Amino acid sequence: MQGERRYRGRTPLWIACLKGGFGQEYGCPYGDVGDRLWVRETWCYYGAGDAHLGYKATDEICPDAIDKWKPSIYMPRAASRIMLEVTEVRVQRLQDISEEDAIAEGIPKDDWFGLLTVKRDFQELWNAINEKRGYGWDSNPWVWAVSFEVLLPTPLHSQEDTAS
């Protein structure tokens, strides 16, 4: 294992744009194979006295909230419940993404009429997030493609804490 880094899971899209040209040696900003990434999520404290943690991804409301939902950027390491272990890092052109990779990115395979592909849905999502920043689908930027395995529970959480 190389080390541990934080990762803010803002969207299901876990590919980051490379800036600059290809041909130089780059270190992946999301780690190397064997690194562990702790995921930050939107969260809250709830309950009186001994506070508990709520996670917006799985808890519709934050019952008896001590505070309102907090953005993922403010999540401390101790509150993280998801750990990812990097299993592969590669660099590729954005448009080289496969249908399988698009599904792994979180794109649902729900086109009942066979008119659209998962890759096309990924393209639309990519443009919605990145086109205004100059990294649209048509620019076909170089991207980091990071594969990982989900490790549950994280070392700081017991089985009870992650069961909900």
Side-chain angles (χ1 to χ4, degrees), residues 43-61:
W43 62 290
C44 71
Y45 287 117
Y46 69 91
D50 188 23
H52 301 281
L53 295 172
Y55 302 92
K56 197 166 189 177
T58 54
D59 303 319
E60 288 189 26
I61 60 169

Side-chain angles (χ1 to χ4, degrees), residues 1 5 30 48 54 66 78 82 86-87 91 99 101-102 108 110 123 136 154:
M1 177 174 58
R5 302 168 189 231
Y30 297 101
I66 295 171
I82 302 172
V86 177
T87 58
V91 178
E99 293 279 316
D101 286 342
D110 60 0
Q123 176 185 345
T154 62

